[in-house]
């Protein structure tokens, strides 16, 4: 285990088996469509790569980068689009793939934006849901794991751009982010 972690919350095996299970449900629901899988950079990249490889429907891949957080751990409440989609979403079935829903602000804004742009449907898939921190009225269509309000890193998630490449998800020691 990485020395900056208090404990491992989700092991590689737990993640793999749950991601496969959820992807099968999404795959079934999207049967007969040709959706666009929209990854929200950067936190979702590892989840995105594992998740889309479990889908059998024909897919287009696209990405957005938005920020609602500063360098710290608290959501600032302002969404900024740093990289927009390459493709047009009009009339398309969109699957938004996120690593975590916290306040829900990012996904609430994204869902509104994609709907306003004319998407035929917007399905939200998240790896983690910190439900107790929710301030916006938004629910993911599919969630892999409900987690407690702890600072988690790994499997794409960072603290100040560190720890994203850890293959598991762990709880960061308070001393790391409170110093
Ligand atoms: C995280 C996460 C979501 C958002 C969730 O991204 O990937 O996009 O915050 O928070 P919210 O529900 O309170 O809006 P972050 O800005 O940390 O960027 P990153 O994915 O590049 O690490």
């Amino acid at each position: 285990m990485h020395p900056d972690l208090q404990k491992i919350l989700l092991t590689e095996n737990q993640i793999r088996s749950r991601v496969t299970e959820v992807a099968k449900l999404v795959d079934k629901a999207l049967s007969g469509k040709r959706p666009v899988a929209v990854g929200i950079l950067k936190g979702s990249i590892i989840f995105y790569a594992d998740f889309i490889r479990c889908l059998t429907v024909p897919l287009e891949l696209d990405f957005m980068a938005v920020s609602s957080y500063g360098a710290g751990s608290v959501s600032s409440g302002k969404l900024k689009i740093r990289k927009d989609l390459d493709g047009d979403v009009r009339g398309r079935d969109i699957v938004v793939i996120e690593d975590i829903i916290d306040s829900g602000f990012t996904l609430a804004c994204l869902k509104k934006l994609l709907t306003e742009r004319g998407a035929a449907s917007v399905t939200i898939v998240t790896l983690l849901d910190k439900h107790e921190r929710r301030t916006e009225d938004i629910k993911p269509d599919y969630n892999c794991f409900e987690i407690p309000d702890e600072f988690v890193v790994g499997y794409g998630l960072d603290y100040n751009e560190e720890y994203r490449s850890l293959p598991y998800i762990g709880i960061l020691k308070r001393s790391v982010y409170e110093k």
Side-chain angles (χ1 to χ4, degrees):
M1 178 173 87
H2 192 290
D4 291 352
L5 298 182
Q6 245 183 70
K7 72 170 207 178
I8 292 181
L9 186 66
L10 297 164
T11 65
E12 286 185 70
N13 279 340
Q14 284 174 309
I15 296 170
R16 189 179 312 111
S17 101
R18 179 66 180 146
V19 167
T20 308
E21 186 178 57
V22 171
K24 280 185 180 153
L25 296 175
V26 176
D27 200 42
K28 208 168 163 197
L30 292 171
S31 167
K33 307 203 177 211
R34 186 189 167 80
V36 185
V38 172
I40 310 304
L41 301 171
K42 304 174 195 168
S44 72
I45 55 154
I46 298 178
F47 173 48
Y48 184 97
D50 285 346
F51 183 82
I52 61 166
R53 282 180 292 174
C54 297
L55 301 180
T56 62
V57 287
L59 278 179
E60 279 180 42
L61 314 190
D62 212 337
F63 299 91
M64 279 183 94
V66 297
S67 40
S68 67
Y69 284 14
S73 61
V74 180
S75 179
S76 72
K78 240 191 153 189
L79 190 79
K80 192 172 148 201
I81 297 180
R82 286 185 282 116
K83 184 230 171 286
D84 210 335
L85 296 169
D86 291 336
D88 187 354
V89 300
R90 195 173 307 272
R92 303 301 305 270
D93 296 296
I94 308 296
V95 184
V96 176
I97 299 173
E98 251 299 17
D99 55 332
I100 187 164
I101 305 194
D102 192 338
S103 68
F105 182 79
T106 305
L107 280 171
C109 291
L110 283 173
K111 188 165 185 175
K112 186 166 173 271
L113 180 75
L114 295 169
T115 306
E116 281 169 2
R117 287 183 180 178
S121 67
V122 180
T123 302
I124 294 174
V125 181
T126 185
L127 175 69
L128 306 173
D129 186 352
K130 259 191 197 176
H131 193 252
E132 57 191 285
R133 300 246 313 172
R134 193 68 36 79
T135 57
E136 306 299 314
D137 183 21
I138 184 125
K139 255 186 86 178
D141 298 287
Y142 299 89
N143 169 41
C144 297
F145 301 99
E146 172 108 26
I147 60 160
D149 186 14
E150 300 277 4
F151 203 117
V152 291
V153 294
Y155 197 72
L157 290 98
D158 75 312
Y159 171 61
N160 281 346
E161 297 302 327
E162 264 191 79
Y163 316 107
R164 291 195 197 271
S165 57
L166 295 175
Y168 48 79
I169 293 174
I171 298 179
L172 200 57
K173 284 180 182 161
R174 279 189 169 271
S175 57
V176 176
Y177 58 92
E178 283 182 348
K179 70 187 170 200

